[in-house]
Each structure stands twice: as C-alpha cells, then as structure tokens.
Amino acid sequence: MTSGEAEVSRRLTSGPGTLLLWLYGVMVVGAVSRSAVQISTEFDRAPLAYSLSAVAGVVYGFITYSLVRGGETARKAALVCCVVELLGVLTVGTWTLVEPSAFPDATVWSDFGMGYLFIPVLLPLSAIYWLRKGVPTGDAA
C-alpha cells in the first residue's frame, strides 16, 4: 500500500467516517436480518419488497466492507455503490408513493426510508460527501 492509499484508508475510517461505518454496519444487520426472516417465513406475501430489502442489505454490506478495507480502489468502489444506493432509495421511495399496491409490505427503502428514520436516504448522501473528500489532491506519485 502506498502512502497515499494509507492516507485515504486512514481518513475513510476516522472522524465522521467512523460514524458512517457504524451506521452502515447497523443497516447491514437490520436489512439482512429483516429480509432473511421475511423471505423465509412469508415470501409469497410481498416477494418484491422482501427481495429489495435483501438487495439493500447486500449493498450496505459491500459499502461497509469497502470502508473497512480502505484504499483508493475501495473508496472508488464504495462511492459508486453509494450512488447506486441513492438511486435505489429514490427509485423505490418514489415507487412506493406512486404505486403503493406494488408493495403490500414495506422495504428498507420504502417512503425514502421513513421506517428507518430516513437514514436510508441520508446515509448515501453523507457517504458520498465523505468519500469525495477522500479524493487525493495534487498527488503525483
């Protein structure tokens, strides 16, 4: 690992990055455990909603792993994944408001994450800001 990568890695998990890491970890546990129970016990009730919650859990898990791993490649991958996450939250959030009958049960991203105190919409915005701050400036190594 180069000194620049070590610096990016250190910055991703320091200060506000620690809070992001913790929040993503909590969201992994919440989304994965919720979807696992719902898929194993009542999948036929709302397959789309439960599948989307499982996808959200996988996305949260990848971002959490990337933050822990650190480095420039992981930062870029996490940044792309956060943008995809935000697009998912906005799409599913809008979809649940426009066509509520498509979701007989809520997903993690329903109503822009209202059931999770809007953390699903605020978290990717915060993470994108933090990960963009990790861009090395003027490092010609």
Side-chain angles (χ1 to χ4, degrees), residues 4-5 8-9 12 70-77 134-136:
E5 287 177 335
V8 169
S9 176
L12 291 180
E72 185 59 18
T73 302
R75 183 195 65 78
K76 288 178 182 177
V135 174

PDB file of all heavy atoms in Angstrom, residues 4-5 8-9 12 70-77 134-136:
ATOM      1  N   GLY A   4      -0.101   7.280  -0.092  1.00  0.00           N
ATOM      2  CA  GLY A   4      -1.370   7.921  -0.458  1.00  0.00           C
ATOM      3  C   GLY A   4      -2.559   7.028  -0.143  1.00  0.00           C
ATOM      4  O   GLY A   4      -3.583   7.485   0.358  1.00  0.00           O
ATOM      5  N   GLU A   5      -2.440   5.726  -0.452  1.00  0.00           N
ATOM      6  CA  GLU A   5      -3.513   4.787  -0.140  1.00  0.00           C
ATOM      7  C   GLU A   5      -3.693   4.648   1.361  1.00  0.00           C
ATOM      8  O   GLU A   5      -4.813   4.549   1.848  1.00  0.00           O
ATOM      9  CB  GLU A   5      -3.230   3.421  -0.762  1.00  0.00           C
ATOM     10  CG  GLU A   5      -3.413   3.385  -2.262  1.00  0.00           C
ATOM     11  CD  GLU A   5      -3.048   2.033  -2.846  1.00  0.00           C
ATOM     12  OE1 GLU A   5      -2.235   1.309  -2.236  1.00  0.00           O
ATOM     13  OE2 GLU A   5      -3.563   1.712  -3.925  1.00  0.00           O
ATOM     14  N   VAL A   8      -5.651   7.657   2.493  1.00  0.00           N
ATOM     15  CA  VAL A   8      -7.065   7.557   2.140  1.00  0.00           C
ATOM     16  C   VAL A   8      -7.750   6.548   3.053  1.00  0.00           C
ATOM     17  O   VAL A   8      -8.841   6.788   3.566  1.00  0.00           O
ATOM     18  CB  VAL A   8      -7.252   7.167   0.654  1.00  0.00           C
ATOM     19  CG1 VAL A   8      -8.698   6.810   0.369  1.00  0.00           C
ATOM     20  CG2 VAL A   8      -6.813   8.312  -0.245  1.00  0.00           C
ATOM     21  N   SER A   9      -7.086   5.407   3.306  1.00  0.00           N
ATOM     22  CA  SER A   9      -7.647   4.385   4.181  1.00  0.00           C
ATOM     23  C   SER A   9      -7.868   4.939   5.585  1.00  0.00           C
ATOM     24  O   SER A   9      -8.908   4.755   6.182  1.00  0.00           O
ATOM     25  CB  SER A   9      -6.716   3.178   4.236  1.00  0.00           C
ATOM     26  OG  SER A   9      -7.207   2.232   5.145  1.00  0.00           O
ATOM     27  N   LEU A  12     -10.844   7.414   5.664  1.00  0.00           N
ATOM     28  CA  LEU A  12     -12.172   6.853   5.468  1.00  0.00           C
ATOM     29  C   LEU A  12     -12.765   6.332   6.766  1.00  0.00           C
ATOM     30  O   LEU A  12     -13.981   6.301   6.924  1.00  0.00           O
ATOM     31  CB  LEU A  12     -12.133   5.733   4.422  1.00  0.00           C
ATOM     32  CG  LEU A  12     -11.859   6.162   2.991  1.00  0.00           C
ATOM     33  CD1 LEU A  12     -11.856   4.953   2.068  1.00  0.00           C
ATOM     34  CD2 LEU A  12     -12.853   7.199   2.520  1.00  0.00           C
ATOM     35  N   GLY A  70     -10.579   0.138   3.038  1.00  0.00           N
ATOM     36  CA  GLY A  70      -9.830   1.356   2.746  1.00  0.00           C
ATOM     37  C   GLY A  70      -9.050   1.258   1.454  1.00  0.00           C
ATOM     38  O   GLY A  70      -9.146   0.278   0.716  1.00  0.00           O
ATOM     39  N   GLY A  71      -8.285   2.267   1.168  1.00  0.00           N
ATOM     40  CA  GLY A  71      -7.523   2.319  -0.070  1.00  0.00           C
ATOM     41  C   GLY A  71      -8.302   3.015  -1.157  1.00  0.00           C
ATOM     42  O   GLY A  71      -9.525   3.182  -1.081  1.00  0.00           O
ATOM     43  N   GLU A  72      -7.590   3.432  -2.168  1.00  0.00           N
ATOM     44  CA  GLU A  72      -8.209   4.210  -3.249  1.00  0.00           C
ATOM     45  C   GLU A  72      -9.219   3.391  -4.051  1.00  0.00           C
ATOM     46  O   GLU A  72     -10.292   3.884  -4.383  1.00  0.00           O
ATOM     47  CB  GLU A  72      -7.113   4.778  -4.153  1.00  0.00           C
ATOM     48  CG  GLU A  72      -7.610   5.688  -5.238  1.00  0.00           C
ATOM     49  CD  GLU A  72      -8.382   6.907  -4.747  1.00  0.00           C
ATOM     50  OE1 GLU A  72      -8.278   7.282  -3.566  1.00  0.00           O
ATOM     51  OE2 GLU A  72      -9.116   7.492  -5.564  1.00  0.00           O
ATOM     52  N   THR A  73      -8.904   2.137  -4.341  1.00  0.00           N
ATOM     53  CA  THR A  73      -9.829   1.298  -5.104  1.00  0.00           C
ATOM     54  C   THR A  73     -11.113   1.060  -4.327  1.00  0.00           C
ATOM     55  O   THR A  73     -12.213   1.155  -4.881  1.00  0.00           O
ATOM     56  CB  THR A  73      -9.167  -0.047  -5.463  1.00  0.00           C
ATOM     57  OG1 THR A  73      -7.967   0.229  -6.203  1.00  0.00           O
ATOM     58  CG2 THR A  73     -10.081  -0.916  -6.288  1.00  0.00           C
ATOM     59  N   ALA A  74     -10.988   0.763  -3.045  1.00  0.00           N
ATOM     60  CA  ALA A  74     -12.169   0.543  -2.207  1.00  0.00           C
ATOM     61  C   ALA A  74     -12.987   1.822  -2.079  1.00  0.00           C
ATOM     62  O   ALA A  74     -14.219   1.784  -2.077  1.00  0.00           O
ATOM     63  CB  ALA A  74     -11.758   0.028  -0.832  1.00  0.00           C
ATOM     64  N   ARG A  75     -12.308   2.970  -1.986  1.00  0.00           N
ATOM     65  CA  ARG A  75     -13.023   4.253  -1.885  1.00  0.00           C
ATOM     66  C   ARG A  75     -13.847   4.483  -3.146  1.00  0.00           C
ATOM     67  O   ARG A  75     -15.015   4.843  -3.079  1.00  0.00           O
ATOM     68  CB  ARG A  75     -12.044   5.409  -1.682  1.00  0.00           C
ATOM     69  CG  ARG A  75     -12.756   6.758  -1.493  1.00  0.00           C
ATOM     70  CD  ARG A  75     -11.818   7.937  -1.644  1.00  0.00           C
ATOM     71  NE  ARG A  75     -11.286   8.043  -2.992  1.00  0.00           N
ATOM     72  CZ  ARG A  75     -11.966   8.549  -4.032  1.00  0.00           C
ATOM     73  NH1 ARG A  75     -13.190   8.974  -3.883  1.00  0.00           N
ATOM     74  NH2 ARG A  75     -11.401   8.603  -5.221  1.00  0.00           N
ATOM     75  N   LYS A  76     -13.242   4.237  -4.306  1.00  0.00           N
ATOM     76  CA  LYS A  76     -13.962   4.427  -5.574  1.00  0.00           C
ATOM     77  C   LYS A  76     -15.134   3.465  -5.685  1.00  0.00           C
ATOM     78  O   LYS A  76     -16.224   3.847  -6.117  1.00  0.00           O
ATOM     79  CB  LYS A  76     -13.012   4.248  -6.756  1.00  0.00           C
ATOM     80  CG  LYS A  76     -12.039   5.391  -6.927  1.00  0.00           C
ATOM     81  CD  LYS A  76     -11.092   5.123  -8.083  1.00  0.00           C
ATOM     82  CE  LYS A  76     -10.071   6.235  -8.236  1.00  0.00           C
ATOM     83  NZ  LYS A  76      -9.096   5.943  -9.306  1.00  0.00           N
ATOM     84  N   ALA A  77     -14.921   2.213  -5.305  1.00  0.00           N
ATOM     85  CA  ALA A  77     -15.991   1.212  -5.366  1.00  0.00           C
ATOM     86  C   ALA A  77     -17.130   1.588  -4.420  1.00  0.00           C
ATOM     87  O   ALA A  77     -18.307   1.487  -4.784  1.00  0.00           O
ATOM     88  CB  ALA A  77     -15.447  -0.169  -5.015  1.00  0.00           C
ATOM     89  N   GLY A 134     -12.275  12.194   0.249  1.00  0.00           N
ATOM     90  CA  GLY A 134     -11.104  11.327   0.276  1.00  0.00           C
ATOM     91  C   GLY A 134     -10.297  11.341  -1.010  1.00  0.00           C
ATOM     92  O   GLY A 134      -9.288  10.661  -1.103  1.00  0.00           O
ATOM     93  N   VAL A 135     -10.734  12.114  -1.993  1.00  0.00           N
ATOM     94  CA  VAL A 135     -10.005  12.178  -3.263  1.00  0.00           C
ATOM     95  C   VAL A 135      -8.653  12.846  -3.041  1.00  0.00           C
ATOM     96  O   VAL A 135      -8.579  13.949  -2.520  1.00  0.00           O
ATOM     97  CB  VAL A 135     -10.816  12.982  -4.315  1.00  0.00           C
ATOM     98  CG1 VAL A 135     -10.019  13.186  -5.575  1.00  0.00           C
ATOM     99  CG2 VAL A 135     -12.120  12.289  -4.622  1.00  0.00           C
ATOM    100  N   PRO A 136      -7.576  12.159  -3.395  1.00  0.00           N
ATOM    101  CA  PRO A 136      -6.255  12.770  -3.235  1.00  0.00           C
ATOM    102  C   PRO A 136      -6.134  14.015  -4.119  1.00  0.00           C
ATOM    103  O   PRO A 136      -6.606  14.021  -5.245  1.00  0.00           O
ATOM    104  CB  PRO A 136      -5.288  11.687  -3.700  1.00  0.00           C
ATOM    105  CG  PRO A 136      -6.069  10.427  -3.745  1.00  0.00           C
ATOM    106  CD  PRO A 136      -7.501  10.801  -3.907  1.00  0.00           C
TER     107      PRO A 136
END
